Amino acid sequence: MAVSSSSSSSTLKIGIIGFGPFGQFLAKTMIKQGHILRATSRTDHSQLCHRLGISFFSDKRTFLEADNDVILISTSILSLSEVLNSLPVHCLQRRTLIADVLSVKEYPRNVLLQVLPGEMDVLCTHPMFGPESGQNGWKDFAFVYEKVRIRDEATCSSFLRIFESEGCKMLEMSCEEHDKVAANSQFLTHTIGRVLSELEIQSTSMNTKGFETLIRLKESSVNDSFDLFSGLCIHNRFAKQELLDLEAAFEKVKLKLQQKMEEVQQEQSPNESKL
């Protein structure tokens, strides 16, 4: 296969698979930077793409034959395997950089390496921001990536510059290390937010700053789909242990409270008997 024709240029032809809210969010900045975008999705986004100046393909074969330098996977975590296995990847005309932006990393890496021809370059990434947090720009947000299988360094560098030029903190990290850290941070945050949602906590007339933080956490967590939350657990092998550790930590706190209550009751009992 021929090497990408735009490997020496900063302008890329980028095809996005999965044009939901996150794909749309990324696309707007990529267009602003002058890149040429195509998109395909299970939902018909042809009118939106027309307004944004993006070519929309309802047919996946035609999309893959469209001479993309980069194909960006922006599906949900849960649908990734089904979507990738439905792609006629043999239709790719030349070596292409295949990148994903999912919130877990070992799982998409493994699926991409299994499904894609060996000639395709693979870059696993996680932009640590989204349409809400990044609505005023991407400056100082982390962008985590691993060059899983890269031969065309120029195209890969051009793609990474999309995020670097917006001021992202570029963090090169293995997929395994990413998932370890994410389980202890992102997944834990989502879990606490979901628990607060189940408790149905509401703002009061006497909020403390700490409680307002909990309210914001709850609202931020439920703004994301439950499919995303469940995907963070199901497809991150370190997340299950976080759930167990969280449950154990709660039991420890509860036990300490019970022990303190018993101590107080024992101290009060002799005094009450003297009355």
Side-chain angles (χ1 to χ4, degrees):
M1 289 190 177
V3 175
S4 168
S5 60
S6 66
S7 60
S8 61
S9 171
S10 60
T11 299
L12 296 170
K13 292 174 284 187
I14 302 171
I16 300 177
I17 297 177
F19 204 62
F22 193 67
Q24 296 167 25
F25 165 69
L26 295 177
K28 290 173 184 176
T29 295
M30 293 174 179
I31 292 170
K32 182 186 70 175
Q33 291 184 359
H35 301 290
I36 300 166
L37 265 64
R38 293 86 177 247
T40 186
S41 195
R42 290 184 292 187
T43 303
D44 184 0
H45 292 292
S46 54
Q47 292 186 358
L48 172 62
C49 285
H50 179 72
R51 291 196 299 271
L52 294 174
I54 297 171
S55 300
F56 183 80
F57 295 79
S58 56
D59 180 69
K60 294 176 183 176
R61 183 187 183 97
T62 309
F63 170 82
L64 292 177
E65 292 175 342
D67 194 36
N68 297 294
D69 300 311
V70 180
I71 290 179
L72 187 62
I73 311 295
S74 184
T75 66
S76 69
I77 298 170
L78 296 182
S79 67
L80 174 70
S81 181
E82 178 188 353
V83 170
L84 287 183
N85 279 289
S86 70
L87 292 176
V89 291
H90 62 277
C91 295
L92 290 166
Q93 299 298 303
R94 57 180 172 85
R95 179 182 298 156
T96 307
L97 173 63
I98 314 295
D100 85 279
V101 289
L102 276 62
S103 298
V104 295
K105 291 274 62 78
E106 283 191 311
Y107 172 62
R109 177 201 63 193
N110 294 342
V111 175
L112 287 168
L113 290 176
Q114 178 184 2
V115 172
L116 294 175
E119 299 86 0
M120 299 300 145
D121 284 359
V122 176
L123 177 71
C124 287
T125 82
H126 183 191
M128 304 295 292
F129 51 91
E132 184 177 346
S133 59
Q135 61 183 321
N136 296 317
W138 303 352
K139 190 176 184 335
D140 295 330
F141 285 107
F143 182 86
V144 182
Y145 66 96
E146 181 182 3
K147 297 179 180 180
V148 177
R149 185 172 65 203
I150 300 297
R151 299 178 184 86
D152 185 350
E153 288 284 352
T155 295
C156 182
S157 295
S158 292
F159 179 74
L160 292 174
R161 274 197 297 274
I162 292 172
F163 300 90
E164 187 176 12
S165 66
E166 295 295 322
C168 291
K169 293 186 294 184
M170 308 299 287
L171 301 177
E172 188 166 8
M173 181 185 298
S174 72
C175 292
E176 178 182 11
E177 183 64 22
H178 168 278
D179 284 1
K180 283 182 182 178
V181 175
N184 191 243
S185 55
Q186 184 188 31
F187 174 68
L188 184 60
T189 301
H190 276 264
T191 302
I192 298 297
R194 289 283 170 178
V195 171
L196 294 173
S197 176
E198 292 297 329
L199 287 172
E200 298 182 345
I201 65 170
Q202 300 291 335
S203 184
T204 73
S205 59
M206 48 181 285
N207 285 358
T208 62
K209 292 297 183 182
F211 188 68
E212 288 177 354
T213 300
L214 293 183
I215 292 287
R216 289 194 297 272
L217 174 57
K218 180 203 75 169
E219 293 174 347
S220 173
S221 297
V222 298
N223 280 341
D224 291 317
S225 70
F226 194 80
D227 274 1
L228 171 60
F229 175 57
S230 58
L232 292 174
C233 180
I234 295 168
H235 292 298
N236 183 340
R237 62 190 172 100
F238 303 102
K240 290 79 172 174
Q241 187 60 49
E242 284 300 319
L243 281 178
L244 295 174
D245 291 346
L246 179 61
E247 185 178 11
F250 178 78
E251 289 299 323
K252 284 183 181 178
V253 172
K254 190 168 73 168
L255 179 60
K256 288 181 179 179
L257 282 174
Q258 290 172 338
Q259 290 172 340
K260 191 64 177 179
M261 285 188 288
E262 291 172 2
E263 290 174 10
V264 171
Q265 289 172 352
Q266 289 172 359
E267 291 171 359
Q268 290 177 343
S269 294
N271 294 330
E272 291 173 354
S273 64
K274 295 177 182 179
L275 297 177

